[in-house]
Amino acid sequence: MKFFEQLGRYFIFITQVFRKPEKSAVWFRQFVRELQTLGVNSVGIVILVSIFIGAAITIQTAYNMDNPLYPRYLVSLTTRDTLLLEFSSTIIALILAGKVGSNIASEIGTMRITEQIDALEIMGVNSASFIVSPKVFALVIFMPVLVIISIFVGIIGGWVSAILSGVVTTKDFVYGIQLEFKPFYIPYSLIKSVVYAYIIVTVSAFHGYYAKGGALDVGKSSTKAVVHSSILVLLFDLLLTQLILS
Amino acid sequence: MISVKNVSKSFENKAVLNNVSADFEPAKVNMIIGKSGSGKTVLLKSLVGLHEIDSGAILFSGIDFCSLKVKEKAKIRREVGMLFQGGALFDSATILENILYPLDLFTNKTYREKYQRVKFCLDRVNLQGVEKLYPAELSGGMQKRAAIARAIALNPKYLFCDEPNSGLDPQTAIVIDKLIQEITYEFNITTVVNTHDMNSVLESSDNINFIHQGKSWWYGHKEELLNTDNEELKQFLFSSEVMRRIKR
Ligand SMILES: Nc1ncnc2c1ncn2[C@@H]1O[C@H](COP(=O)(O)OP(=O)(O)OP(=O)(O)O)[C@@H](O)[C@H]1O
Ligand SMILES: [Mg+2]
């Protein structure tokens, strides 16, 4: 019962978020600011995580294919496809659900309990659209950039680890990367990432926007934001994979 | 003129306001007094629809606010300046940006004109050299004053203040009370102030509404206040030794 009530409130919230903004110049300024905080400021963690993921996949695959019958270039081919199909979109989304999601929920939750949202409403501003829609557009637009960065950096991480551990030669690695490349994997990955970005921002903003009580409750709502958006990311991973790939 | 007519409001079957009626006059400091938890904040927020009331009516110059559409409500809200209990400055923005917000959103002035307006409002509340600072870098009293500056940026017809001087030292509290009083008279604002600070009631109130257990209990002026024979009001007023001495 409670679940459906929440769901209903979420959809009402969404209709408020996508109302026309009061003034486009002010909206655009917020949007640019959010591109910076949500997008650009996440590049570092995406690079860091992707290097390690790329390296780990390469080394694991190499050890799993420790049979001389398998050509070594399969290792980099597997790394590439794993990154493209799953890791660079889904794992990055999970990381961002933690970083960006908790950031959004606690920011908006604090605005709620310190009456900043009321202050906006008093000015005659639609607070949901004013605060949330620049965030949605910023992350939805920037997320594909993060995914592309992640794919490149992940492959470089794999290559470096291959060389350092000596499991694959550079020649084999490069050959495998180019072999049987299916260009369709890239839009597939980007489409998933856009959906994830939308989920992360709207779900986290929803939890922050309806926070009530004190600082402790803001903490709780930001935990909920991370948990719920992570679960939804995984659920939609399954749905979209079924939908697009099969 | 704002008229509150028989307003009731409850939260999850906990009645907070019970048939409250009051008139708030223009160019007057209309005070709402009452114990902590008596429903002052809820009443103030109900005036502008931050809480939806269960029954009754709220009239802004004769217009029933609750029956208005979202767009028309927003129009009235733009004539309202509100000072919240905690200031409610946007903490990710500087003081300058805070006061620019309403101007950016609802005027077509050039940046220069807007900046001058900000300067004017800040001067009006005696704040200088703080434009570039963030709210967290100001003291509580300075934050309150900056919040007043933001509330008056658009020349409001109505000014609502929720405990404008709670948490301030007596001297600063008086400065803020005086300030609210001055701008009320200067710009013909219909000002509504929530407080349980007897000092500011006696200093700067024109009309007084005493709310008790969510009901309108007493209405009058400060001269009548001290000689009231209303039991609950007496209890509220003379809970402190100092006030009892003032009476004698
Ligand atoms: N959003 C809400 N949900 C449920 N109950 C609420 C809500 N807001 C206020 N209340 C309840 O309404 C009552 C009146 O609260 P209100 O904040 O109006 O008191 P107040 O007179 O402003 O007190 P104070 O002087 O301490 O600020 C309180 O008992 C409070 O618990
Ligand atoms: Mg209050």
Side-chain angles (χ1 to χ4, degrees):
Chain A
M1 208 51 227
K2 191 114 184 273
F3 170 75
F4 289 106
E5 200 184 305
Q6 285 273 72
L7 198 66
R9 285 221 311 212
Y10 171 78
F11 284 113
I12 293 171
F13 174 70
I14 293 299
T15 60
Q16 284 176 11
V17 168
F18 290 107
R19 288 240 181 86
K20 197 173 166 296
E22 266 76 22
K23 207 159 193 180
S24 36
V26 178
W27 187 91
F28 192 74
R29 209 171 57 205
Q30 295 285 107
F31 169 75
V32 172
R33 194 183 278 194
E34 298 299 350
L35 268 184
Q36 173 74 37
T37 28
L38 302 182
V40 178
N41 289 356
S42 301
V43 169
I45 192 167
V46 166
I47 288 179
L48 193 70
V49 168
S50 304
I51 287 180
F52 285 116
I53 288 179
I57 299 174
T58 300
I59 293 175
Q60 276 177 10
T61 317
Y63 284 110
N64 282 331
M65 294 186 177
D66 208 10
N67 189 322
L69 287 180
Y70 293 134
R72 297 315 277 166
Y73 56 75
L74 282 184
V75 172
S76 58
L77 185 149
T78 311
T79 304
R80 180 197 72 203
D81 284 354
T82 318
L83 283 170
L84 269 173
L85 285 173
E86 191 63 18
F87 279 63
S88 286
S89 52
T90 309
I91 298 287
I92 292 306
L94 290 174
I95 300 282
L96 289 187
K99 179 182 181 287
V100 173
S102 64
N103 171 305
I104 290 176
S106 56
E107 180 193 334
I108 299 181
T110 305
M111 292 184 77
R112 164 64 72 193
I113 63 159
T114 57
E115 300 175 311
Q116 292 174 48
I117 290 183
D118 286 341
L120 280 174
E121 288 286 329
I122 283 295
M123 291 179 189
V125 177
N126 173 349
S127 58
S129 115
F130 184 80
I131 302 170
V132 183
S133 74
K135 292 187 196 295
V136 177
F137 284 97
L139 195 62
V140 163
I141 289 172
F142 208 80
M143 187 79 169
V145 179
L146 291 176
V147 170
I148 289 171
I149 292 175
S150 163
I151 294 169
F152 273 104
V153 174
I155 289 174
I156 291 171
W159 175 58
V160 170
S161 75
I163 293 174
L164 290 184
S165 62
V167 287
V168 191
T169 61
T170 300
K171 189 161 161 276
D172 277 346
F173 196 90
V174 173
Y175 180 73
I177 291 289
Q178 292 168 338
L179 190 67
E180 280 187 46
F181 174 62
K182 298 192 185 69
F184 172 67
Y185 283 0
I186 290 180
Y188 162 74
S189 186
L190 298 186
I191 289 171
K192 284 208 299 186
S193 75
V194 165
V195 174
Y196 297 155
Y198 179 83
I199 291 173
I200 292 170
V201 180
T202 55
V203 169
S204 310
F206 172 73
H207 281 293
Y209 195 80
Y210 290 104
K212 52 179 152 201
L216 198 63
D217 304 85
V218 171
K220 277 186 200 151
S221 69
S222 102
T223 307
K224 268 194 210 153
V226 175
V227 173
H228 289 187
S229 45
S230 305
I231 292 174
L232 284 170
V233 161
L234 292 173
L235 183 72
F236 273 81
D237 183 25
L238 194 63
L239 288 177
L240 290 173
T241 306
Q242 277 294 321
L243 215 67
I244 305 177
L245 283 195
S246 63
Chain B
M1 171 87 144
I2 304 172
S3 302
V4 177
K5 297 209 186 304
N6 304 319
V7 166
S8 298
K9 165 76 192 166
S10 50
F11 291 106
E12 287 125 29
N13 62 42
K14 177 177 172 240
V16 177
L17 299 178
N18 200 338
N19 254 326
V20 173
S21 296
D23 280 335
F24 303 122
E25 296 176 65
K28 292 268 161 64
V29 178
N30 303 277
M31 289 213 173
I32 302 172
I33 61 174
K35 273 200 298 211
S36 184
S38 56
K40 302 184 297 293
T41 300
V42 173
L43 176 59
L44 204 63
K45 287 191 176 176
S46 300
L47 290 182
V48 278
L50 291 176
H51 292 310
E52 259 179 59
I53 55 174
D54 303 335
S55 63
I58 288 155
L59 308 177
F60 280 78
S61 315
I63 303 168
D64 182 5
F65 182 79
C66 305
S67 69
L68 295 178
K69 298 214 183 67
V70 177
K71 276 241 168 84
E72 297 162 324
K73 275 187 183 164
K75 227 161 124 191
I76 291 200
R77 283 177 173 179
R78 267 162 228 169
E79 303 188 316
V80 173
M82 187 148 178
L83 174 62
F84 288 87
Q85 206 159 345
L89 293 168
F90 306 124
D91 42 31
S92 59
T94 62
I95 298 301
L96 173 66
E97 290 165 336
N98 259 282
I99 305 171
L100 274 177
Y101 260 132
L103 297 166
D104 280 345
L105 284 165
F106 301 115
T107 66
N108 290 315
K109 292 183 176 149
T110 63
Y111 182 81
R112 227 186 118 76
E113 289 168 321
K114 287 187 284 198
Y115 184 75
Q116 304 222 302
R117 179 69 194 159
V118 173
K119 273 293 216 195
F120 172 83
C121 296
L122 284 173
D123 275 345
R124 198 66 201 75
V125 296
N126 283 321
L127 274 181
Q128 276 95 21
V130 297
E131 292 103 85
K132 297 232 166 62
L133 299 181
Y134 285 86
E137 295 171 311
L138 301 189
S139 76
M142 290 160 93
Q143 287 181 20
K144 279 260 159 78
R145 281 187 275 165
I148 295 179
R150 186 179 68 182
I152 60 173
L154 287 177
N155 272 321
K157 262 167 81 178
Y158 313 99
L159 180 62
F160 299 158
C161 306
D162 197 357
E163 319 239 354
N165 49 23
S166 65
L168 301 182
D169 66 276
Q171 216 175 354
T172 315
I174 289 173
V175 170
I176 297 222
D177 282 340
K178 279 265 167 297
L179 180 67
I180 291 172
Q181 201 178 18
E182 281 167 23
I183 51 186
T184 300
Y185 301 153
E186 197 175 323
F187 304 112
N188 267 325
I189 303 175
T190 307
T191 301
V192 183
V193 177
N194 271 356
T195 188
H196 38 56
D197 176 9
M198 286 325 295
N199 198 21
S200 57
V201 177
L202 296 175
E203 281 281 335
S204 59
S205 72
D206 293 311
N207 302 324
I208 302 164
N209 290 274
F210 175 55
I211 305 263
H212 182 65
Q213 296 181 340
K215 297 195 181 79
S216 333
W217 209 265
W218 186 87
Y219 168 83
H221 304 284
K222 57 187 166 207
E223 300 78 25
E224 303 153 355
L225 197 63
L226 297 178
N227 304 315
T228 177
D229 46 15
N230 186 310
E231 269 314 310
E232 285 75 15
L233 180 56
K234 273 203 278 193
Q235 258 177 31
F236 173 75
L237 291 177
F238 305 116
S239 50
S240 81
E241 183 59 32
V242 182
M243 285 300 292
R244 282 195 288 273
R245 244 182 265 153
I246 290 176
K247 183 164 191 213
R248 270 184 247 126

